[in-house]
């Protein structure tokens, strides 16, 4: 089965090396039909004093934040309605697109948009799937929604999927798909998707 060696300059912490190993394993498995336990990733470290580029010693590039953790923390802040904290995860030019091509650029717009649709909504997550993309990381998260309609009746089990673009450690774009409109059409609840 595949054995991959990755050489990095010394100085990366254990979590960064773990994330690099997992990303390398996932990349190999996207090309080679092998179970994760059959892919061996060896991360070698080179001492900085033993590395020169252009005749000069170099420092390693800083690790990027985990894009899935950024999304998870943003969604947790939104669920708690801690908009100030949630805004800290957003990049310049942030845009979100909800079902029906509803486009917003502020969290206050989102809160106003959601107001007539439900009293509150929470998410139960199945997975967060980060997809490497060079300078922009993509994260898909999906699961089900639960909460209360405007009349106070509870709902649950509504499917959703969110797609996030992470650039320079901040959320640049969020796209949302869910089955709320289907449920509303069948139950006559809320004010749409």
């Amino acid at each position: 089965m595949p054995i991959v060696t990755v050489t990095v300059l010394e100085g990366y912490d254990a979590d960064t090396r773990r994330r690099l190993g997992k990303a390398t394993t996932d990349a190999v498995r996207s090309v080679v039909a092998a179970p994760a336990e059959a892919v061996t990733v060896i991360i070698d470290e080179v001492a900085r004093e033993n590395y020169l580029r252009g005749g000069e010693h170099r420092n390693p590039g800083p690790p990027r934040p985990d894009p899935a953790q950024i999304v998870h923390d943003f969604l947790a802040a939104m669920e708690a309605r801690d908009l100030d904290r949630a805004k800290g995860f957003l990049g310049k030019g942030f845009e979100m697109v909800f079902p029906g091509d509803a486009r917003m650029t502020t969290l206050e717009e989102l809160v106003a948009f959601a107001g007539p649709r439900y009293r509150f909504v929470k998410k139960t997550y199945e997975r967060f799937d980060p997809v490497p993309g060079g300078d922009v990381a993509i994260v898909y998260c999906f699961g089900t929604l639960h909460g209360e309609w405007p009349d106070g009746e509870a709902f649950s089990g509504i499917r959703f999927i969110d797609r996030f673009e992470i650039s320079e450690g901040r959320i640049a774009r969020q796209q949302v798909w869910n089955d709320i409109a289907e449920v509303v059409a069948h139950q006559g609840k809320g004010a749409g998707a």
Side-chain angles (χ1 to χ4, degrees):
M1 293 320 246
I3 299 173
V4 178
T5 302
V6 177
T7 304
V8 297
L9 288 177
E10 69 179 353
Y12 291 108
D13 62 27
D15 184 60
T16 301
R17 291 191 310 271
R18 179 195 59 74
R19 287 176 49 215
L20 181 59
K22 180 171 182 343
T24 303
T25 299
D26 291 345
V28 168
R29 293 185 65 219
S30 72
V31 176
V32 177
E37 61 273 8
V39 178
T40 301
V41 176
I42 300 167
I43 300 177
D44 285 333
E45 290 186 309
V46 174
R48 291 180 203 181
E49 63 268 8
N50 294 336
Y51 173 79
L52 293 118
R53 188 176 72 229
E56 307 218 0
H57 292 286
R58 304 291 176 156
N59 290 319
R64 291 186 172 170
D66 181 346
Q69 191 65 51
I70 291 169
V71 168
H72 182 275
D73 293 348
F74 167 73
L75 292 171
M78 287 299 297
E79 188 171 294
R81 282 299 184 250
D82 186 347
L83 298 186
D84 288 335
R85 181 169 180 258
K87 287 176 187 175
F89 294 100
L90 306 180
K92 291 181 182 178
F94 168 73
E95 177 189 45
M96 55 193 136
V97 182
F98 277 71
D101 200 32
R103 294 174 181 268
M104 294 160 265
T105 58
T106 69
L107 300 181
E108 290 80 7
E109 288 175 297
L110 173 59
V111 171
F113 170 79
R117 288 163 173 73
Y118 36 76
R119 283 188 180 178
F120 73 88
V121 67
K122 296 187 177 194
K123 295 180 176 186
T124 301
Y125 303 106
E126 276 185 48
R127 287 188 5 206
F128 288 80
D129 291 336
V131 180
D135 290 337
V136 176
I138 308 298
V139 177
Y140 289 93
C141 77
F142 56 93
T144 58
L145 303 173
H146 62 279
E148 286 183 6
W149 298 118
D151 67 4
E153 185 178 342
F155 65 84
S156 64
I158 298 175
R159 298 180 311 161
F160 81 90
I161 185 165
D162 292 349
R163 180 187 184 273
F164 291 86
E165 295 177 16
I166 312 297
S167 178
E168 298 179 1
R170 299 274 187 255
I171 299 171
R173 189 162 200 241
Q174 176 185 6
Q175 294 173 282
V176 174
W177 295 271
N178 62 53
D179 289 340
I180 287 179
E182 290 294 315
V183 173
V184 167
H186 286 94
Q187 295 180 358
K189 297 292 182 184

